[in-house]
Amino acid sequence: MMSSKRWWYTVWLVLIGAFAVLHALHLRADFPNHSPWWMDWAKYTDEGWYGNAAIRAHLNGSWHLPDEFNPAAALPAWPLLEWILFFFTGVTVEAARGLAIVIFFINLALSYTLLRTRGPRWMALLAVTLLVTSPLLYSFSRLAILEPLLTTLTLGALNLAVRLPRLRRPVLAAVGIGFLFTLMVLTKTTAVFLFPALGWAIVLPLRQRRALLFKCAGAAAGAFAFSFGMWMALIVRHGLLADFKFFFVLNNYPKPTEFYWPLISFWWSFHGGLWIDHILIPLAWLVAAGVAITCRKWGRRLLLDPVFGSSVLAVAGCILFMTVQNHPQPRYFAVAAFFFFFMVAQGAHALLGAKDDAGRLLHRERGFFRGPASALGWLLLGIASVAVGINGAATLNYGLHPEYTFANAAERLTRYIDEHPNGKRLLVCDSGDEITLVTHMPALNDLYIDPSGPIPDLATKLGYYQPGWYASWNTLDPGMLEDIHTRYSVEQVARFRAYDDPERNVLVLFKLHPWPDGRVKEPADRDLSVRFAEDKFDVPLQ
């Protein structure tokens, strides 16, 4: 019997390993085309945006550009890791994504160790199986974006927190938790919404040891205040406070005027969980609802479980963030997915004959189905297995059919610019940083201008940097054309197909021709947002 059990565990681990390795293949390939998350802009922009400090430091010698998007002032953790990596690999998109994959592997290990503190091996492996077969996590864990690292730091802090009562030096571990929370905030500011989950994991295991609880909570809070304060002091000292503030200005999305907009935003954020999975997410919510309303021992046990409670609070924090921002996006659920899947695995374990603190089975009935709770547990496990099969097939399909439309488009665009010189070899494009990561083409972002800085608008920015090229997706924006027309006429010269978004699947390249004698046109002179006789383009102006 033991030999058979070990054999099944071996097969299970091999399958998990095979799906894990699948994530590491074809790192230059597109974010999967025609997926349910085709509208997420992360695949066009975020890898370049949030790693641009590391990219610029290696390619240009300086990570900072005046009045350009410089997110490393607020979020330095990820670009710092990339900066170190690029010393060994050079600046490549494969290296950046390879780092994200290594972090995903670490997340799998941290998930296993976290759940092993609360249950048997099969429960932890079930959660890892749900993670490694998830098509959403396959798609977003392969991007060099912020969410995988935020997940790593969160899981690391939770692993420490739930072990505090058993550690020889719990106060020192609490200091480590505080430092990890600082790194979470410096990875992605949404980590603030994960604070209740981390607090729950600290407080609940120590609730009967109040003196130690206060020491640990104080140590964690003090470590966070000290380390984050040191970072802010560096920001002020080096004159980067404007870049720090500008990051938050950019992420303050306009809110509707209707007083009831938070309800609508909450519904869309809550409903957005289905982006993760149409089977497992309703299942996780059913488990949470069962825990909240049941009087059974399994429900009370989960209610007081630090990992389960932290998972519920982490999910709630992610949804609250999206509600406040009024901006739900599929990539935001790449963090929440881990905690949803933990809820499913722990729910199955609790229903399928979990033991109490004395080691006694909570279900006393004999037979395969030990009462209604056990039957529900097997049903939950069966539904989860069906989801694993469906998700595994989808993930396998993505992994075995890579496409390279964006990498090819970026390479062809760069080749065209090199073969047809036009002024300064500098591109303006909202996907410019992403193109730089792929081909090293120097680029500026056309979306972000800090109006409080020395370069108050895009027209002035164009005059300061004097680029020779502009690229846009599918259309030419009249507002962008108005800024360009202050100094240039535009000539459409090439089109490159990429990705699957019907509104952003053609990358259009324009030459920028300076007006004769270096003239600068002013909007007061005439409407600059319309086509001029000197312009040559056929894409829609919209």
Short mmCIF file of all heavy atoms in Angstrom, two decimals, residues 333-359:
data_model
loop_
_atom_site.label_atom_id
_atom_site.label_comp_id
_atom_site.label_asym_id
_atom_site.label_seq_id
_atom_site.Cartn_x
_atom_site.Cartn_y
_atom_site.Cartn_z
N PHE A 333 -5.68 39.83 -11.30
CA PHE A 333 -6.14 38.58 -10.69
C PHE A 333 -5.06 37.51 -10.67
O PHE A 333 -5.28 36.42 -10.14
CB PHE A 333 -7.38 38.06 -11.43
CG PHE A 333 -8.61 38.87 -11.17
CD1 PHE A 333 -8.99 39.88 -12.03
CD2 PHE A 333 -9.38 38.64 -10.04
CE1 PHE A 333 -10.12 40.64 -11.79
CE2 PHE A 333 -10.51 39.40 -9.79
CZ PHE A 333 -10.88 40.40 -10.67
N ALA A 334 -3.88 37.80 -11.25
CA ALA A 334 -2.79 36.84 -11.19
C ALA A 334 -2.30 36.63 -9.77
O ALA A 334 -1.75 35.57 -9.44
CB ALA A 334 -1.63 37.31 -12.08
N VAL A 335 -2.49 37.63 -8.90
CA VAL A 335 -2.17 37.47 -7.48
C VAL A 335 -3.32 36.76 -6.76
O VAL A 335 -3.11 35.79 -6.02
CB VAL A 335 -1.91 38.84 -6.82
CG1 VAL A 335 -1.64 38.67 -5.32
CG2 VAL A 335 -0.73 39.53 -7.49
N ALA A 336 -4.54 37.21 -7.00
CA ALA A 336 -5.70 36.64 -6.32
C ALA A 336 -5.88 35.16 -6.64
O ALA A 336 -6.39 34.40 -5.82
CB ALA A 336 -6.97 37.42 -6.70
N ALA A 337 -5.47 34.73 -7.85
CA ALA A 337 -5.66 33.34 -8.26
C ALA A 337 -5.04 32.38 -7.26
O ALA A 337 -5.62 31.32 -6.94
CB ALA A 337 -5.08 33.12 -9.65
N PHE A 338 -3.85 32.69 -6.75
CA PHE A 338 -3.19 31.81 -5.78
C PHE A 338 -4.09 31.58 -4.57
O PHE A 338 -4.26 30.44 -4.12
CB PHE A 338 -1.87 32.43 -5.34
CG PHE A 338 -0.74 32.20 -6.30
CD1 PHE A 338 -0.66 32.93 -7.48
CD2 PHE A 338 0.24 31.26 -6.03
CE1 PHE A 338 0.37 32.73 -8.38
CE2 PHE A 338 1.28 31.05 -6.92
CZ PHE A 338 1.34 31.79 -8.10
N PHE A 339 -4.67 32.64 -4.07
CA PHE A 339 -5.45 32.53 -2.83
C PHE A 339 -6.82 31.90 -3.07
O PHE A 339 -7.34 31.21 -2.19
CB PHE A 339 -5.53 33.90 -2.18
CG PHE A 339 -4.18 34.45 -1.84
CD1 PHE A 339 -3.57 35.40 -2.65
CD2 PHE A 339 -3.49 33.96 -0.75
CE1 PHE A 339 -2.31 35.89 -2.34
CE2 PHE A 339 -2.22 34.43 -0.44
CZ PHE A 339 -1.63 35.40 -1.24
N PHE A 340 -7.41 32.12 -4.23
CA PHE A 340 -8.63 31.40 -4.58
C PHE A 340 -8.37 29.89 -4.58
O PHE A 340 -9.18 29.10 -4.05
CB PHE A 340 -9.13 31.82 -5.96
CG PHE A 340 -10.03 33.02 -5.95
CD1 PHE A 340 -9.68 34.18 -6.64
CD2 PHE A 340 -11.25 33.00 -5.29
CE1 PHE A 340 -10.53 35.28 -6.66
CE2 PHE A 340 -12.10 34.09 -5.31
CZ PHE A 340 -11.74 35.24 -5.99
N PHE A 341 -7.26 29.47 -5.18
CA PHE A 341 -6.97 28.05 -5.28
C PHE A 341 -6.63 27.45 -3.92
O PHE A 341 -6.95 26.28 -3.65
CB PHE A 341 -5.82 27.82 -6.26
CG PHE A 341 -6.15 28.20 -7.69
CD1 PHE A 341 -5.16 28.42 -8.62
CD2 PHE A 341 -7.46 28.35 -8.10
CE1 PHE A 341 -5.45 28.77 -9.93
CE2 PHE A 341 -7.78 28.70 -9.41
CZ PHE A 341 -6.76 28.91 -10.31
N PHE A 342 -6.00 28.24 -3.04
CA PHE A 342 -5.77 27.76 -1.68
C PHE A 342 -7.10 27.48 -0.98
O PHE A 342 -7.23 26.48 -0.25
CB PHE A 342 -5.00 28.82 -0.86
CG PHE A 342 -3.59 29.07 -1.31
CD1 PHE A 342 -2.87 30.12 -0.77
CD2 PHE A 342 -2.99 28.28 -2.28
CE1 PHE A 342 -1.56 30.36 -1.16
CE2 PHE A 342 -1.69 28.53 -2.69
CZ PHE A 342 -0.98 29.57 -2.13
N MET A 343 -8.09 28.35 -1.20
CA MET A 343 -9.40 28.16 -0.57
C MET A 343 -10.04 26.86 -1.02
O MET A 343 -10.63 26.13 -0.21
CB MET A 343 -10.30 29.36 -0.90
CG MET A 343 -9.87 30.65 -0.22
SD MET A 343 -10.55 32.13 -1.01
CE MET A 343 -12.32 31.84 -0.78
N VAL A 344 -9.91 26.53 -2.30
CA VAL A 344 -10.48 25.29 -2.82
C VAL A 344 -9.78 24.08 -2.20
O VAL A 344 -10.43 23.12 -1.72
CB VAL A 344 -10.36 25.24 -4.35
CG1 VAL A 344 -10.77 23.87 -4.89
CG2 VAL A 344 -11.22 26.33 -4.99
N ALA A 345 -8.45 24.09 -2.18
CA ALA A 345 -7.70 22.96 -1.65
C ALA A 345 -7.97 22.76 -0.16
O ALA A 345 -8.18 21.63 0.31
CB ALA A 345 -6.21 23.16 -1.89
N GLN A 346 -7.99 23.85 0.60
CA GLN A 346 -8.25 23.73 2.03
C GLN A 346 -9.69 23.33 2.31
O GLN A 346 -9.96 22.60 3.28
CB GLN A 346 -7.93 25.04 2.74
CG GLN A 346 -6.44 25.33 2.85
CD GLN A 346 -6.15 26.44 3.84
OE1 GLN A 346 -6.22 27.62 3.51
NE2 GLN A 346 -5.81 26.07 5.06
N GLY A 347 -10.62 23.78 1.48
CA GLY A 347 -12.01 23.35 1.64
C GLY A 347 -12.15 21.86 1.43
O GLY A 347 -12.86 21.17 2.19
N ALA A 348 -11.49 21.32 0.41
CA ALA A 348 -11.54 19.88 0.16
C ALA A 348 -10.95 19.11 1.33
O ALA A 348 -11.51 18.10 1.77
CB ALA A 348 -10.79 19.56 -1.13
N HIS A 349 -9.85 19.59 1.85
CA HIS A 349 -9.21 18.90 2.98
C HIS A 349 -10.11 18.92 4.22
O HIS A 349 -10.25 17.90 4.93
CB HIS A 349 -7.88 19.57 3.29
CG HIS A 349 -7.24 19.09 4.56
ND1 HIS A 349 -6.91 19.94 5.59
CD2 HIS A 349 -6.92 17.84 4.98
CE1 HIS A 349 -6.38 19.24 6.57
NE2 HIS A 349 -6.37 17.98 6.23
N ALA A 350 -10.74 20.05 4.49
CA ALA A 350 -11.58 20.16 5.67
C ALA A 350 -12.79 19.23 5.59
O ALA A 350 -13.20 18.63 6.58
CB ALA A 350 -12.04 21.61 5.84
N LEU A 351 -13.35 19.11 4.40
CA LEU A 351 -14.52 18.26 4.22
C LEU A 351 -14.18 16.78 4.18
O LEU A 351 -14.96 15.94 4.62
CB LEU A 351 -15.26 18.64 2.94
CG LEU A 351 -15.99 19.98 2.97
CD1 LEU A 351 -16.35 20.42 1.55
CD2 LEU A 351 -17.23 19.89 3.83
N LEU A 352 -12.98 16.46 3.68
CA LEU A 352 -12.62 15.05 3.51
C LEU A 352 -11.91 14.49 4.73
O LEU A 352 -10.80 13.95 4.65
CB LEU A 352 -11.73 14.89 2.28
CG LEU A 352 -12.45 14.98 0.94
CD1 LEU A 352 -11.45 14.98 -0.20
CD2 LEU A 352 -13.42 13.82 0.79
N GLY A 353 -12.53 14.65 5.89
CA GLY A 353 -12.00 13.96 7.07
C GLY A 353 -10.80 14.62 7.68
O GLY A 353 -9.83 13.95 8.04
N ALA A 354 -10.79 15.95 7.79
CA ALA A 354 -9.70 16.62 8.49
C ALA A 354 -9.67 16.19 9.95
O ALA A 354 -10.68 15.80 10.52
CB ALA A 354 -9.88 18.14 8.40
N LYS A 355 -8.50 16.30 10.54
CA LYS A 355 -8.34 15.90 11.94
C LYS A 355 -8.35 17.11 12.85
O LYS A 355 -7.98 18.20 12.46
CB LYS A 355 -7.02 15.13 12.11
CG LYS A 355 -7.00 13.82 11.34
CD LYS A 355 -5.69 13.11 11.54
CE LYS A 355 -5.66 11.79 10.75
NZ LYS A 355 -4.38 11.06 10.94
N ASP A 356 -8.78 16.89 14.09
CA ASP A 356 -8.74 17.97 15.06
C ASP A 356 -7.33 18.05 15.67
O ASP A 356 -6.42 17.33 15.28
CB ASP A 356 -9.81 17.80 16.14
CG ASP A 356 -9.63 16.50 16.95
OD1 ASP A 356 -8.51 15.94 16.92
OD2 ASP A 356 -10.59 16.08 17.60
N ASP A 357 -7.17 18.93 16.65
CA ASP A 357 -5.85 19.16 17.23
C ASP A 357 -5.30 17.93 17.95
O ASP A 357 -4.09 17.81 18.13
CB ASP A 357 -5.89 20.34 18.19
CG ASP A 357 -6.17 21.66 17.47
OD1 ASP A 357 -5.80 21.73 16.28
OD2 ASP A 357 -6.75 22.57 18.08
N ALA A 358 -6.17 17.04 18.34
CA ALA A 358 -5.73 15.83 19.04
C ALA A 358 -5.49 14.67 18.06
O ALA A 358 -5.17 13.57 18.48
CB ALA A 358 -6.77 15.41 20.08
N GLY A 359 -5.69 14.92 16.78
CA GLY A 359 -5.46 13.89 15.79
C GLY A 359 -6.66 13.01 15.51
O GLY A 359 -6.55 12.00 14.82
#
